[in-house]
mmCIF file of all heavy atoms in Angstrom:
data_model
loop_
_atom_site.group_PDB
_atom_site.id
_atom_site.type_symbol
_atom_site.label_atom_id
_atom_site.label_comp_id
_atom_site.label_asym_id
_atom_site.label_seq_id
_atom_site.Cartn_x
_atom_site.Cartn_y
_atom_site.Cartn_z
ATOM 1 N N LEU A 69 -85.209 -11.547 -6.061
ATOM 2 C CA LEU A 69 -86.154 -11.010 -7.039
ATOM 3 C C LEU A 69 -87.488 -10.699 -6.376
ATOM 4 O O LEU A 69 -88.030 -9.599 -6.507
ATOM 5 C CB LEU A 69 -86.344 -12.007 -8.186
ATOM 6 C CG LEU A 69 -87.380 -11.619 -9.234
ATOM 7 C CD1 LEU A 69 -86.985 -10.316 -9.919
ATOM 8 C CD2 LEU A 69 -87.553 -12.736 -10.255
ATOM 9 N N VAL A 70 -88.017 -11.671 -5.639
ATOM 10 C CA VAL A 70 -89.285 -11.460 -4.942
ATOM 11 C C VAL A 70 -89.113 -10.385 -3.868
ATOM 12 O O VAL A 70 -89.981 -9.523 -3.683
ATOM 13 C CB VAL A 70 -89.786 -12.782 -4.329
ATOM 14 C CG1 VAL A 70 -91.047 -12.552 -3.504
ATOM 15 C CG2 VAL A 70 -90.047 -13.801 -5.422
ATOM 16 N N TYR A 71 -87.999 -10.442 -3.166
ATOM 17 C CA TYR A 71 -87.697 -9.464 -2.117
ATOM 18 C C TYR A 71 -87.728 -8.048 -2.689
ATOM 19 O O TYR A 71 -88.314 -7.134 -2.103
ATOM 20 C CB TYR A 71 -86.319 -9.786 -1.556
ATOM 21 C CG TYR A 71 -85.978 -9.178 -0.217
ATOM 22 C CD1 TYR A 71 -85.858 -9.977 0.916
ATOM 23 C CD2 TYR A 71 -85.728 -7.820 -0.083
ATOM 24 C CE1 TYR A 71 -85.511 -9.438 2.151
ATOM 25 C CE2 TYR A 71 -85.378 -7.271 1.143
ATOM 26 C CZ TYR A 71 -85.267 -8.083 2.250
ATOM 27 O OH TYR A 71 -84.917 -7.543 3.471
ATOM 28 N N ALA A 72 -87.097 -7.870 -3.857
ATOM 29 C CA ALA A 72 -87.038 -6.544 -4.457
ATOM 30 C C ALA A 72 -88.410 -6.053 -4.882
ATOM 31 O O ALA A 72 -88.802 -4.907 -4.627
ATOM 32 C CB ALA A 72 -86.085 -6.555 -5.654
ATOM 33 N N VAL A 73 -89.164 -6.913 -5.549
ATOM 34 C CA VAL A 73 -90.498 -6.534 -6.035
ATOM 35 C C VAL A 73 -91.413 -6.136 -4.885
ATOM 36 O O VAL A 73 -92.248 -5.233 -5.009
ATOM 37 C CB VAL A 73 -91.106 -7.689 -6.849
ATOM 38 C CG1 VAL A 73 -92.579 -7.432 -7.146
ATOM 39 C CG2 VAL A 73 -90.335 -7.892 -8.148
ATOM 40 N N ALA A 74 -91.231 -6.789 -3.729
ATOM 41 C CA ALA A 74 -92.143 -6.560 -2.591
ATOM 42 C C ALA A 74 -91.784 -5.341 -1.757
ATOM 43 O O ALA A 74 -92.553 -4.985 -0.849
ATOM 44 C CB ALA A 74 -92.160 -7.805 -1.698
ATOM 45 N N GLN A 75 -90.662 -4.673 -2.026
ATOM 46 C CA GLN A 75 -90.200 -3.638 -1.106
ATOM 47 C C GLN A 75 -91.135 -2.435 -1.005
ATOM 48 O O GLN A 75 -91.468 -1.983 0.093
ATOM 49 C CB GLN A 75 -88.795 -3.180 -1.487
ATOM 50 C CG GLN A 75 -87.721 -4.174 -1.112
ATOM 51 C CD GLN A 75 -87.784 -4.576 0.348
ATOM 52 O OE1 GLN A 75 -87.456 -3.809 1.233
ATOM 53 N NE2 GLN A 75 -88.234 -5.793 0.604
ATOM 54 N N ILE A 76 -91.570 -1.876 -2.119
ATOM 55 C CA ILE A 76 -92.436 -0.700 -2.035
ATOM 56 C C ILE A 76 -93.794 -1.049 -1.435
ATOM 57 O O ILE A 76 -94.279 -0.329 -0.542
ATOM 58 C CB ILE A 76 -92.558 -0.015 -3.402
ATOM 59 C CG1 ILE A 76 -91.202 0.602 -3.767
ATOM 60 C CG2 ILE A 76 -93.651 1.063 -3.385
ATOM 61 C CD1 ILE A 76 -91.160 1.251 -5.128
ATOM 62 N N PRO A 77 -94.437 -2.163 -1.844
ATOM 63 C CA PRO A 77 -95.650 -2.562 -1.116
ATOM 64 C C PRO A 77 -95.400 -2.768 0.375
ATOM 65 O O PRO A 77 -96.258 -2.438 1.204
ATOM 66 C CB PRO A 77 -96.060 -3.872 -1.796
ATOM 67 C CG PRO A 77 -95.499 -3.775 -3.169
ATOM 68 C CD PRO A 77 -94.207 -3.022 -3.026
ATOM 69 N N THR A 78 -94.218 -3.278 0.708
ATOM 70 C CA THR A 78 -93.875 -3.439 2.123
ATOM 71 C C THR A 78 -93.837 -2.100 2.835
ATOM 72 O O THR A 78 -94.327 -1.969 3.969
ATOM 73 C CB THR A 78 -92.503 -4.138 2.255
ATOM 74 O OG1 THR A 78 -92.622 -5.477 1.815
ATOM 75 C CG2 THR A 78 -92.017 -4.124 3.696
ATOM 76 N N GLY A 79 -93.244 -1.082 2.189
ATOM 77 C CA GLY A 79 -93.221 0.242 2.790
ATOM 78 C C GLY A 79 -94.617 0.774 3.049
ATOM 79 O O GLY A 79 -94.888 1.373 4.096
ATOM 80 N N VAL A 80 -95.517 0.549 2.097
ATOM 81 C CA VAL A 80 -96.908 0.977 2.264
ATOM 82 C C VAL A 80 -97.546 0.238 3.441
ATOM 83 O O VAL A 80 -98.209 0.839 4.295
ATOM 84 C CB VAL A 80 -97.703 0.727 0.971
ATOM 85 C CG1 VAL A 80 -99.182 1.065 1.176
ATOM 86 C CG2 VAL A 80 -97.130 1.557 -0.180
ATOM 87 N N LEU A 81 -97.343 -1.075 3.502
ATOM 88 C CA LEU A 81 -97.923 -1.871 4.597
ATOM 89 C C LEU A 81 -97.348 -1.454 5.944
ATOM 90 O O LEU A 81 -98.086 -1.349 6.932
ATOM 91 C CB LEU A 81 -97.661 -3.357 4.342
ATOM 92 C CG LEU A 81 -98.402 -3.988 3.164
ATOM 93 C CD1 LEU A 81 -97.884 -5.399 2.916
ATOM 94 C CD2 LEU A 81 -99.903 -4.023 3.412
ATOM 95 N N ALA A 82 -96.032 -1.238 5.986
ATOM 96 C CA ALA A 82 -95.401 -0.849 7.250
ATOM 97 C C ALA A 82 -95.927 0.499 7.723
ATOM 98 O O ALA A 82 -96.154 0.703 8.926
ATOM 99 C CB ALA A 82 -93.884 -0.806 7.088
ATOM 100 N N ASP A 83 -96.136 1.436 6.791
ATOM 101 C CA ASP A 83 -96.658 2.746 7.162
ATOM 102 C C ASP A 83 -98.095 2.654 7.663
ATOM 103 O O ASP A 83 -98.494 3.387 8.569
ATOM 104 C CB ASP A 83 -96.590 3.701 5.965
ATOM 105 C CG ASP A 83 -95.171 4.216 5.686
ATOM 106 O OD1 ASP A 83 -94.345 4.161 6.615
ATOM 107 O OD2 ASP A 83 -94.918 4.660 4.565
ATOM 108 N N ARG A 84 -98.881 1.762 7.069
ATOM 109 C CA ARG A 84 -100.313 1.727 7.383
ATOM 110 C C ARG A 84 -100.660 0.798 8.538
ATOM 111 O O ARG A 84 -101.546 1.095 9.346
ATOM 112 C CB ARG A 84 -101.113 1.302 6.142
ATOM 113 C CG ARG A 84 -101.251 2.415 5.111
ATOM 114 C CD ARG A 84 -102.108 1.982 3.931
ATOM 115 N NE ARG A 84 -103.466 1.616 4.328
ATOM 116 C CZ ARG A 84 -104.447 2.482 4.586
ATOM 117 N NH1 ARG A 84 -104.221 3.779 4.523
ATOM 118 N NH2 ARG A 84 -105.656 2.046 4.914
ATOM 119 N N PHE A 85 -100.000 -0.360 8.628
ATOM 120 C CA PHE A 85 -100.435 -1.376 9.583
ATOM 121 C C PHE A 85 -99.455 -1.634 10.727
ATOM 122 O O PHE A 85 -99.819 -2.271 11.715
ATOM 123 C CB PHE A 85 -100.732 -2.695 8.847
ATOM 124 C CG PHE A 85 -101.823 -2.576 7.831
ATOM 125 C CD1 PHE A 85 -101.534 -2.594 6.476
ATOM 126 C CD2 PHE A 85 -103.136 -2.415 8.223
ATOM 127 C CE1 PHE A 85 -102.533 -2.469 5.533
ATOM 128 C CE2 PHE A 85 -104.153 -2.296 7.290
ATOM 129 C CZ PHE A 85 -103.851 -2.313 5.941
ATOM 130 N N GLY A 86 -98.215 -1.178 10.602
ATOM 131 C CA GLY A 86 -97.284 -1.295 11.699
ATOM 132 C C GLY A 86 -96.609 -2.646 11.795
ATOM 133 O O GLY A 86 -96.944 -3.596 11.085
ATOM 134 N N PRO A 87 -95.645 -2.766 12.713
ATOM 135 C CA PRO A 87 -94.782 -3.952 12.770
ATOM 136 C C PRO A 87 -95.439 -5.207 13.322
ATOM 137 O O PRO A 87 -95.002 -6.306 13.005
ATOM 138 C CB PRO A 87 -93.639 -3.502 13.685
ATOM 139 C CG PRO A 87 -94.264 -2.466 14.568
ATOM 140 C CD PRO A 87 -95.245 -1.740 13.690
ATOM 141 N N ARG A 88 -96.469 -5.045 14.153
ATOM 142 C CA ARG A 88 -97.043 -6.235 14.774
ATOM 143 C C ARG A 88 -97.570 -7.217 13.732
ATOM 144 O O ARG A 88 -97.239 -8.414 13.768
ATOM 145 C CB ARG A 88 -98.182 -5.837 15.718
ATOM 146 C CG ARG A 88 -98.760 -7.028 16.463
ATOM 147 C CD ARG A 88 -99.964 -6.654 17.303
ATOM 148 N NE ARG A 88 -100.299 -7.709 18.236
ATOM 149 C CZ ARG A 88 -101.409 -7.734 18.975
ATOM 150 N NH1 ARG A 88 -102.276 -6.730 18.890
ATOM 151 N NH2 ARG A 88 -101.629 -8.732 19.802
ATOM 152 N N TYR A 89 -98.362 -6.707 12.816
ATOM 153 C CA TYR A 89 -98.984 -7.580 11.829
ATOM 154 C C TYR A 89 -98.051 -7.872 10.665
ATOM 155 O O TYR A 89 -97.911 -9.023 10.241
ATOM 156 C CB TYR A 89 -100.292 -6.947 11.342
ATOM 157 C CG TYR A 89 -101.301 -6.788 12.444
ATOM 158 C CD1 TYR A 89 -101.545 -5.541 13.018
ATOM 159 C CD2 TYR A 89 -101.980 -7.891 12.963
ATOM 160 C CE1 TYR A 89 -102.448 -5.392 14.062
ATOM 161 C CE2 TYR A 89 -102.889 -7.749 14.003
ATOM 162 C CZ TYR A 89 -103.115 -6.504 14.548
ATOM 163 O OH TYR A 89 -104.006 -6.363 15.589
ATOM 164 N N VAL A 90 -97.398 -6.846 10.146
ATOM 165 C CA VAL A 90 -96.534 -7.039 8.982
ATOM 166 C C VAL A 90 -95.334 -7.926 9.337
ATOM 167 O O VAL A 90 -94.989 -8.856 8.608
ATOM 168 C CB VAL A 90 -96.070 -5.682 8.433
ATOM 169 C CG1 VAL A 90 -95.154 -5.875 7.221
ATOM 170 C CG2 VAL A 90 -97.263 -4.826 8.033
ATOM 171 N N GLY A 91 -94.713 -7.653 10.498
ATOM 172 C CA GLY A 91 -93.541 -8.432 10.888
ATOM 173 C C GLY A 91 -93.860 -9.878 11.224
ATOM 174 O O GLY A 91 -93.129 -10.794 10.832
ATOM 175 N N SER A 92 -94.951 -10.107 11.943
ATOM 176 C CA SER A 92 -95.283 -11.488 12.337
ATOM 177 C C SER A 92 -95.721 -12.324 11.143
ATOM 178 O O SER A 92 -95.337 -13.497 11.015
ATOM 179 C CB SER A 92 -96.361 -11.487 13.419
ATOM 180 O OG SER A 92 -97.560 -10.896 12.952
ATOM 181 N N ILE A 93 -96.496 -11.729 10.230
ATOM 182 C CA ILE A 93 -96.915 -12.472 9.037
ATOM 183 C C ILE A 93 -95.705 -12.783 8.162
ATOM 184 O O ILE A 93 -95.576 -13.886 7.610
ATOM 185 C CB ILE A 93 -97.984 -11.682 8.261
ATOM 186 C CG1 ILE A 93 -99.292 -11.645 9.068
ATOM 187 C CG2 ILE A 93 -98.245 -12.314 6.892
ATOM 188 C CD1 ILE A 93 -100.350 -10.736 8.498
ATOM 189 N N GLY A 94 -94.792 -11.812 8.031
ATOM 190 C CA GLY A 94 -93.577 -12.066 7.261
ATOM 191 C C GLY A 94 -92.767 -13.214 7.827
ATOM 192 O O GLY A 94 -92.282 -14.078 7.087
ATOM 193 N N GLY A 95 -92.608 -13.247 9.162
ATOM 194 C CA GLY A 95 -91.871 -14.341 9.786
ATOM 195 C C GLY A 95 -92.523 -15.691 9.547
ATOM 196 O O GLY A 95 -91.835 -16.704 9.322
ATOM 197 N N PHE A 96 -93.850 -15.723 9.563
ATOM 198 C CA PHE A 96 -94.571 -16.986 9.323
ATOM 199 C C PHE A 96 -94.371 -17.455 7.882
ATOM 200 O O PHE A 96 -94.094 -18.637 7.633
ATOM 201 C CB PHE A 96 -96.054 -16.790 9.626
ATOM 202 C CG PHE A 96 -96.894 -18.014 9.372
ATOM 203 C CD1 PHE A 96 -96.997 -19.019 10.328
ATOM 204 C CD2 PHE A 96 -97.568 -18.171 8.172
ATOM 205 C CE1 PHE A 96 -97.758 -20.153 10.092
ATOM 206 C CE2 PHE A 96 -98.334 -19.301 7.928
ATOM 207 C CZ PHE A 96 -98.427 -20.301 8.886
ATOM 208 N N VAL A 97 -94.501 -16.522 6.923
ATOM 209 C CA VAL A 97 -94.395 -16.901 5.509
ATOM 210 C C VAL A 97 -92.991 -17.376 5.164
ATOM 211 O O VAL A 97 -92.812 -18.381 4.459
ATOM 212 C CB VAL A 97 -94.818 -15.721 4.613
ATOM 213 C CG1 VAL A 97 -94.522 -16.014 3.139
ATOM 214 C CG2 VAL A 97 -96.308 -15.427 4.789
ATOM 215 N N LEU A 98 -91.961 -16.682 5.660
ATOM 216 C CA LEU A 98 -90.599 -17.117 5.327
ATOM 217 C C LEU A 98 -90.302 -18.498 5.913
ATOM 218 O O LEU A 98 -89.601 -19.310 5.300
ATOM 219 C CB LEU A 98 -89.568 -16.082 5.753
ATOM 220 C CG LEU A 98 -89.136 -15.946 7.219
ATOM 221 C CD1 LEU A 98 -87.986 -16.893 7.551
ATOM 222 C CD2 LEU A 98 -88.706 -14.522 7.515
ATOM 223 N N SER A 99 -90.855 -18.782 7.081
ATOM 224 C CA SER A 99 -90.641 -20.095 7.694
ATOM 225 C C SER A 99 -91.388 -21.179 6.937
ATOM 226 O O SER A 99 -90.904 -22.308 6.799
ATOM 227 C CB SER A 99 -91.078 -20.051 9.163
ATOM 228 O OG SER A 99 -90.327 -19.094 9.870
#
């Protein structure tokens, strides 16, 4: 449910900020 809701904001973040910040923060939060 959370995964689905976050997808479009994720697309916006990925387009604007790139994988370094979005990917590393995501890995930290899931852990």
Side-chain angles (χ1 to χ4, degrees):
L69 176 61
V70 175
Y71 197 111
V73 170
Q75 285 307 288
I76 292 177
T78 292
V80 175
L81 291 172
D83 284 339
R84 284 183 60 79
F85 299 107
R88 184 185 194 189
Y89 297 104
V90 180
S92 62
I93 291 172
F96 178 83
V97 172
L98 78 87
S99 300

